[in-house]
Amino acid sequence: MGDLPPRSSVKRWLVTTNHKDIGILYLLTSVFFLVVAGVLALLIRIQLLQSGGTILSDAGYNQVVTSHGFLMIFWFLSPFAFGFANYFVPLQIGADDLAFPRLNAMSYWLYLFSGVLVLGSFFQGATFMGGWTAYAPLNVPSYIPDFGQVGSFATILALIAFIGSVTIGSVNFLTTIYRMRAKGLRMRDIPLFSISILVTVWMMLFAFAAYLAALIILSSDHLLHTSFFALETGSGPEATDSGSLLWTHIFWFFGHPEVYIVFFPALGVLGEMVQTFSGRRLVGRKWFIIAMALVGIQSFIVWMHHMFLTAISLEIKTVMMVTTVAISLPFDLMVFSLIYTMIKGKIRWKTPFLFSLGALVIFIIGGITGVFLGAIVLDYSFRGTYWVVAHFHYVMASSAVILIGAVYYWFPKMTGKMYNEFLGKVHFAMAFIGFNLLYFPMFIVWETPRRIFHYNSGFTMWHQTATAGAFLFAASFLVMFYNLAKSLYSDRHVGESPWSYVASPEWAVSSPPPLENFPGKPSFASGELNFLDRAETDGGVEDAATDGGVEETLAPPEEHADHASWWPFLTASSVVLTGFGLAGLSVSHFVWPFLFAIPAFVAALGVHGARQDGFAQIHGIYMMLSFPLLALFFIFFHIGIGIGELASMSAYFWAALVGAVWGAYTLAGIGYESFEVPEPKMAEQWPFESVENTKLGMWTFIASDIIVFGAFIGAYIFTRIEYGWQEWWKLAKDPAAHTMAEQALEHHPVLPGLINTYLLLASSFTVVLALSAARRTEDYSIGPFSISNRSATVTFLGLTFGGAAFFLVNKGIEWVDLFVHQGWTFGVDVMSSTFYLTTGMHALHVIIGMLVMLFLIARAWTGAYVGEGEDASTIEYFGLYWHFVDIVWLFLFPLFYIL
Amino acid sequence: MASTKTYTAIFVVLMALSTTQAAVEWLGFLEDYYWETLGVIMVLSTMKALAVAGYYMHLRDEPRSITYVAMAGLIGFLALTAGASYSII
């Protein structure tokens, strides 16, 4: 499938992979979530009209406060910014689209369906109630009321799906910005908004990976009843809630960068708008960018300033206080740069500028009040009060105010129509007054305790003022919706740019831009923007320059690119049913839907493969193999649960089953779909010139996965240090060990781990040999015997699969022994929790790798990857993943089997 | 890509180092020299990881920028683990 239906067709919006379409989808969806989260905010403010509340129950208030936070931060603010990023980053860097358009669509649909899942959690008893920080132990089942168990877990699963979207998006933007810039566009010359997105996606790649690890561990506490986050070590006065502390560490390692993840895209637009409406280049632009990058790095070493009231040591608190104060310095530089640009320029008081200026004032107030929280002693008083609430709304919501300004700024470019300036200014006035009326009183009555609706009755007037401000702020958005809707159908057409000073390439194309973005291949090689003829001519030098007719060497012709695919939508849709079902399943039931999905995947590989490559033996084998596999899992099911129980299985089971099988079918479909995305032949690609897009994408994904596994291993190390590092080991080796766990560990020998190390190393070796065979030009021959490269490739891939299968069998034997024979189950103690979950997470990676290998084997069998005109890179990219899984095991082996 | 001989030699070394790690435990060094042995075992794991990354993942042949991408993830892991662990010592 390649071409797109027209925009008037519903199908267009379901199949599109075009970055501008997806940008619009992101913007509209995030505005929907803004409205939902905004209504929740109004409910909070109505509840706070008087101390003790008005309309909500205790549990209702907790749900509303929690969901408001989740939805605003995750499902509105970042996706809203990334709607603009989707639309404008390729335009600003001179690319036709993002590097991986289908993954971009997948990213959007995962975002949407994760949002459906979190909204659906309200109807599964109750959604999560423990605040957006989800502090332990309020996030573990034993601290959640029964009626909230399923909905709470559904919320956690929705967050995991959302992070899937974020990770795919981060990989995509990094690859795009590094590899697809127009010729001559140096990194330092990229427009500010795109630079801010670059810094943001770096932070997202790592920060969300840590959060993902925390959420997977939390899911394990819910599903498998492991005991990470409810763990207490020691006893009596010496007891420590080490589980709570662990959650707080991982959460804020993510959570503090998240503040900048939300703010930086807005900061980038702010820089662009200040430039445009001051009519001059940003003062100290280079230093502004360096400061932004510096904050991006520093954001990962300040997280414990959110933990000054926990049991961490005073030494580390002091270090974090210093790093926190230090991070404000680059921000000062950026703020002064913006202010000085305005002073030196000639201001045009258009609506986007009013929002920029207003947001800058708001951000400065938010920043200054945050410095108080960075000081340990002051934080002791301010923590858990409305000072914090006011501060972070001044910071986070300032980014929303900037992005609203960006709506007005880019509306003419996206629609080709001009908004009504008067209504825009009315919106600003209402929003600015409403915002400050809402949040400033919170500084005045800062002693109001956070998260509850009981406060000193003397504060009532200020809280009622805040509520009035909230409604004014909300009403201002109605003015915007009316303005934009009316303007869209007006006859106020605009040309390339409605602004008299612009500094980024999106303003050099028509409004709205054409599907392929540019009238020719954009190039900055001459020092200014030119559009080169895409068509190949015999050495001719044609130039379609828009600004001076500079001669350029012709760009090589571009290959045809596909723009449409059903599979991202279809694949992501499986998340809803799977998540809905999984949330309500018990530990004994949850695994079966996924096991039954495996034969479905194998069969789907056969079906899709036969359709795409023409029927071959391997497709028949896969189709036939799926039946005994299914029968095998049915036998297991009968032994474990009983076939007769199927009739009484809950709706959750069937939902998870259908969702998992649907996901398996669609994943095979997306794997086999032919979707052409040519890499640009003429692009600025420093510092990754000699690395293909997919390889860079794979490496950035691996970097993210390093953090995921790192957080698991970090959690293990933290927990073990808290327990006593050597005590842990000594107990395991003590012949006088008397507890069940200790006996299990005593009989938990090195050998199974060593055998699995051999198996994984061997499979790493064979996958290298498979790549080597695919790239050979001559067949293998030993004496009279010869084997074709195709057969050798299939054989080595098969051996790799075999190594992985034996790894799992060996692990299965080991686990059955520990689990069944020795009674050392998931939640017996923290040792069993860390062992099963960390090595289980690794095993999950092995299983995913095996499923991909089945695909590779089928493709290699039918002649892909080998010989003239074929590209073996797919095997290489898979190999990167597989070797990474191997490397992780090289550390898990000593940590869990030797030390 | 390196030659098949090189890949085979790396494989043999990896297997030997893994056996050495297990042997250290079997010989009882952990009983008497726990921290020293821990250090040796982790160094051996690091050597194995570097061999896999350098040769099997071809990091030796890629531009250094790819190594820096992977290093960024590694530094993030070390920052989280070291910071969190130090906070409770």
Side-chain angles (χ1 to χ4, degrees):
Chain A
M1 190 167 187
D3 296 326
L4 278 175
R7 277 187 162 173
S8 55
S9 157
V10 173
K11 181 182 167 189
R12 158 78 170 239
W13 300 99
L14 298 176
V15 302
T16 185
T17 64
N18 178 267
H19 71 98
K20 294 187 290 297
D21 289 351
I22 294 186
I24 291 168
L25 287 170
Y26 263 110
L27 288 171
L28 294 177
T29 310
S30 56
V31 167
F32 166 75
F33 283 111
L34 165 69
V35 172
V36 175
V39 169
L40 295 174
L42 292 178
L43 287 174
I44 295 171
R45 287 313 319 170
I46 291 170
Q47 180 77 349
L48 290 169
L49 274 170
Q50 62 185 49
S51 177
T54 54
I55 58 170
L56 295 170
S57 64
D58 293 3
Y61 184 76
N62 288 346
Q63 289 179 69
V64 166
V65 169
T66 302
S67 304
H68 165 73
F70 278 143
L71 290 173
M72 278 294 190
I73 292 168
F74 295 124
W75 278 276
F76 164 60
L77 274 171
S78 275
F80 194 51
F82 272 80
F84 289 123
N86 259 279
Y87 201 103
F88 289 106
V89 166
L91 283 163
Q92 290 196 333
I93 65 169
D96 291 343
D97 205 320
L98 289 179
F100 310 112
R102 269 193 317 175
L103 283 183
N104 193 29
M106 179 79 93
S107 195
Y108 166 72
W109 291 111
L110 271 176
Y111 154 61
L112 173 70
F113 287 120
S114 66
V116 171
L117 200 54
V118 79
L119 292 182
S121 68
F122 278 98
F123 304 98
Q124 291 179 286
T127 190
F128 186 68
M129 296 176 237
W132 90 277
T133 49
Y135 283 138
L138 293 178
N139 57 8
V140 298
S142 51
Y143 283 78
I144 295 172
D146 285 345
F147 65 88
Q149 295 280 342
V150 176
S152 295
F153 190 26
T155 311
I156 294 164
L157 295 172
L159 285 165
I160 289 175
F162 177 79
I163 295 173
S165 161
V166 166
T167 305
I168 293 170
S170 303
V171 167
N172 214 344
F173 274 97
L174 283 168
T175 308
T176 304
I177 296 173
Y178 280 120
R179 292 265 313 156
M180 297 177 69
R181 306 191 303 276
K183 198 71 186 166
L185 183 62
R186 300 174 303 179
M187 289 300 291
R188 71 183 80 163
D189 296 329
I190 292 176
L192 281 173
F193 176 62
S194 294
I195 281 276
S196 72
I197 292 297
L198 179 66
V199 179
T200 303
V201 290
W202 271 120
M203 288 191 288
M204 283 166 75
L205 188 77
F206 296 133
F208 273 99
Y211 193 34
L212 177 63
L215 290 168
I216 293 173
I217 295 172
L218 181 59
S219 299
S220 163
D221 277 0
H222 275 255
L223 200 56
L224 308 178
H225 307 305
T226 49
S227 55
F228 271 88
F229 295 132
L231 179 68
E232 288 183 20
T233 46
S235 58
E238 297 296 314
T240 309
D241 293 331
S242 49
S244 300
L245 207 51
L246 174 63
W247 170 268
T248 322
H249 269 301
I250 307 179
F251 177 80
W252 283 114
F253 183 77
F254 146 77
H256 197 80
E258 169 65 5
V259 176
Y260 305 122
I261 287 168
V262 167
F263 187 69
F264 269 23
L267 185 62
V269 195
L270 181 64
E272 301 237 0
M273 292 194 291
V274 166
Q275 284 187 142
T276 296
F277 297 102
S278 300
R280 61 157 295 140
R281 198 167 187 266
L282 194 71
V283 173
R285 184 180 185 279
K286 180 175 75 177
W287 293 102
F288 189 94
I289 293 168
I290 291 171
M292 215 189 292
L294 197 57
V295 170
I297 296 167
Q298 286 177 287
S299 69
F300 286 94
I301 51 170
V302 297
W303 80 90
M304 278 180 259
H305 70 225
H306 296 272
M307 301 170 63
F308 286 159
L309 254 63
T310 67
I312 58 173
S313 65
L314 185 60
E315 289 83 354
I316 196 77
K317 285 180 189 173
T318 310
V319 170
M320 290 288 158
M321 183 171 75
V322 172
T323 55
T324 301
V325 172
I327 205 171
S328 68
L329 300 178
F331 267 114
D332 295 342
L333 188 151
M334 288 188 273
V335 168
F336 284 121
S337 164
L338 291 165
I339 293 172
Y340 201 50
T341 305
M342 293 182 213
I343 292 171
K344 295 284 282 183
K346 186 176 184 313
I347 304 292
R348 298 173 185 85
W349 297 91
K350 299 288 187 185
T351 303
F353 179 77
L354 290 175
F355 275 95
S356 302
L357 187 60
L360 191 60
V361 171
I362 288 169
F363 178 72
I364 290 171
I365 294 171
I368 291 172
T369 52
V371 174
F372 290 73
L373 297 168
I376 300 170
V377 177
L378 292 176
D379 189 70
Y380 284 170
S381 293
F382 284 132
R383 182 66 47 190
T385 70
Y386 261 59
W387 184 277
V388 180
V389 179
H391 154 69
F392 74 67
H393 278 95
Y394 263 87
V395 174
M396 307 278 268
S398 73
S399 64
V401 174
I402 295 168
L403 292 171
I404 295 301
V407 171
Y408 288 104
Y409 180 57
W410 276 319
F411 180 81
K413 173 54 59 187
M414 297 171 77
T415 63
K417 304 288 177 64
M418 194 62 193
Y419 63 85
N420 181 303
E421 189 65 49
F422 173 73
L423 287 178
K425 286 176 177 167
V426 169
H427 176 197
F428 168 72
M430 288 173 69
F432 190 73
I433 295 168
F435 181 98
N436 286 291
L437 213 52
L438 165 58
Y439 294 116
F440 201 81
M442 295 181 192
F443 284 125
I444 297 169
V445 291
W446 66 270
E447 287 169 296
T448 306
R450 189 183 169 188
R451 297 191 183 97
I452 59 175
F453 48 85
H454 295 269
Y455 53 81
N456 183 330
S457 57
F459 298 163
T460 304
M461 190 269 285
W462 291 109
H463 278 290
Q464 291 177 347
T465 305
T467 302
F471 276 89
L472 181 61
F473 191 35
S476 75
F477 284 87
L478 299 178
V479 177
M480 180 182 78
F481 294 146
Y482 171 78
N483 186 357
L484 299 185
K486 191 144 192 315
S487 301
L488 190 60
Y489 295 102
S490 73
D491 56 359
R492 289 193 297 272
H493 294 276
V494 293
E496 290 174 352
S497 170
W499 316 122
S500 51
Y501 177 90
V502 286
S504 47
E506 76 268 27
W507 302 107
V509 295
S510 60
S511 305
L515 183 70
E516 302 285 358
N517 285 351
F518 305 103
K521 187 71 185 163
S523 168
F524 291 89
S526 65
E528 53 191 2
L529 176 61
N530 295 294
F531 296 116
L532 311 181
D533 194 339
R534 290 175 191 266
E536 189 177 36
T537 55
D538 291 337
V541 182
E542 282 296 325
D543 184 15
T546 58
D547 53 1
V550 180
E551 289 194 346
E552 292 276 352
T553 307
L554 275 175
E558 297 290 323
E559 298 161 48
H560 172 74
D562 287 319
H563 294 293
S565 170
W566 277 103
W567 293 109
F569 165 71
L570 297 176
T571 308
S573 68
S574 67
V575 162
V576 175
L577 272 181
T578 312
F580 171 82
L582 185 57
L585 288 178
S586 64
V587 61
S588 59
H589 285 178
F590 89 93
V591 76
W592 302 107
F594 300 100
L595 282 183
F596 288 131
I598 291 174
F601 180 76
V602 176
L605 281 180
V607 172
H608 289 301
R611 189 183 297 161
Q612 182 66 32
D613 293 339
F615 185 80
Q617 275 176 316
I618 189 72
H619 303 130
I621 293 171
Y622 280 2
M623 287 181 212
M624 296 304 293
L625 184 66
S626 62
F627 291 104
L629 259 182
L630 187 61
L632 183 69
F633 290 137
F634 258 118
I635 292 168
F636 287 160
F637 181 81
H638 185 61
I639 295 169
I641 306 285
I643 294 285
E645 296 295 314
L646 269 180
S648 57
M649 282 294 184
S650 66
Y652 292 123
F653 178 84
W654 294 109
L657 181 65
V658 173
V661 169
W662 178 241
Y665 175 80
T666 52
L667 278 173
I670 204 169
Y672 262 109
E673 186 185 38
S674 170
F675 194 89
E676 291 298 323
V677 185
E679 293 199 6
K681 292 189 170 61
M682 201 183 108
E684 207 63 48
Q685 298 176 328
W686 183 89
F688 298 102
E689 292 92 342
S690 55
V691 186
E692 315 88 86
N693 283 2
T694 314
K695 188 186 283 184
L696 178 58
M698 180 55 85
W699 270 109
T700 47
F701 168 74
I702 287 172
S704 162
D705 218 13
I706 289 173
I707 296 281
V708 176
F709 269 116
F712 270 82
I713 294 172
Y716 163 77
I717 291 173
F718 176 88
T719 308
R720 185 163 170 175
I721 287 175
E722 181 68 22
Y723 188 92
W725 185 276
Q726 269 190 286
E727 292 304 310
W728 185 294
W729 180 80
K730 281 176 184 167
L731 278 173
K733 300 294 172 189
D734 183 0
H738 54 279
T739 70
M740 189 186 292
E742 290 153 9
Q743 286 171 19
L745 278 172
E746 191 186 350
H747 297 99
H748 176 197
V750 175
L751 194 59
L754 181 62
I755 292 171
N756 269 350
T757 306
Y758 289 154
L759 287 166
L760 269 194
L761 288 174
S763 71
S764 254
F765 180 47
T766 50
V767 85
V768 169
L769 294 180
L771 177 64
S772 194
R775 286 187 170 158
R776 275 173 73 102
T777 51
E778 294 170 4
D779 287 348
Y780 286 90
S781 61
I782 304 170
F785 303 103
S786 71
I787 178 170
S788 70
N789 291 334
R790 185 183 72 88
S791 300
T793 305
V794 172
T795 305
F796 285 129
L797 284 173
L799 286 172
T800 309
F801 185 89
F806 277 115
F807 175 93
L808 288 182
V809 168
N810 185 40
K811 180 169 281 296
I813 293 168
E814 177 200 32
W815 278 31
V816 166
D817 180 52
L818 291 171
F819 205 90
V820 179
H821 299 144
Q822 306 198 36
W824 200 49
T825 55
F826 295 128
V828 164
D829 55 28
V830 70
M831 290 184 209
S832 71
S833 294
T834 52
F835 171 74
Y836 286 118
L837 188 61
T838 312
T839 59
M841 178 70 181
H842 178 267
L844 183 65
H845 275 68
V846 171
I847 292 168
I848 291 169
M850 289 171 72
L851 296 176
V852 177
M853 268 188 267
L854 286 174
F855 170 77
L856 294 179
I857 289 169
R859 294 280 293 135
W861 187 296
T862 51
Y865 317 134
V866 184
E868 205 172 317
E870 292 289 343
D871 184 4
S873 299
T874 309
I875 298 177
E876 184 184 359
Y877 306 146
F878 167 74
L880 293 177
Y881 169 84
W882 193 248
H883 300 309
F884 169 67
V885 173
D886 189 6
I887 287 176
V888 172
W889 182 259
L890 295 180
F891 289 97
L892 296 190
F893 169 53
L895 284 175
F896 286 96
Y897 290 87
I898 299 178
L899 300 171
Chain B
M1 287 185 71
S3 68
T4 306
K5 277 184 188 167
T6 307
Y7 289 135
T8 310
I10 297 287
F11 175 61
V12 171
V13 169
L14 290 170
M15 298 293 263
L17 291 180
S18 300
T19 311
T20 307
Q21 286 178 309
V24 165
E25 201 273 345
W26 285 328
L27 293 172
F29 283 108
L30 281 166
E31 309 284 346
D32 302 321
Y33 309 101
Y34 184 83
W35 292 108
E36 294 83 350
T37 312
L38 181 147
V40 169
I41 286 174
M42 293 315 290
V43 166
L44 289 177
S45 277
T46 306
M47 286 167 62
K48 289 195 292 180
L50 289 175
V52 173
Y55 287 91
Y56 287 1
M57 299 172 90
H58 311 123
L59 266 184
R60 291 175 76 250
D61 306 323
E62 303 289 4
R64 279 296 148 264
S65 48
I66 290 287
T67 306
Y68 299 146
V69 169
M71 290 288 288
L74 191 63
I75 290 168
F77 152 62
L78 292 174
L80 172 61
T81 305
S85 300
Y86 179 69
S87 77
I88 53 166
I89 290 175

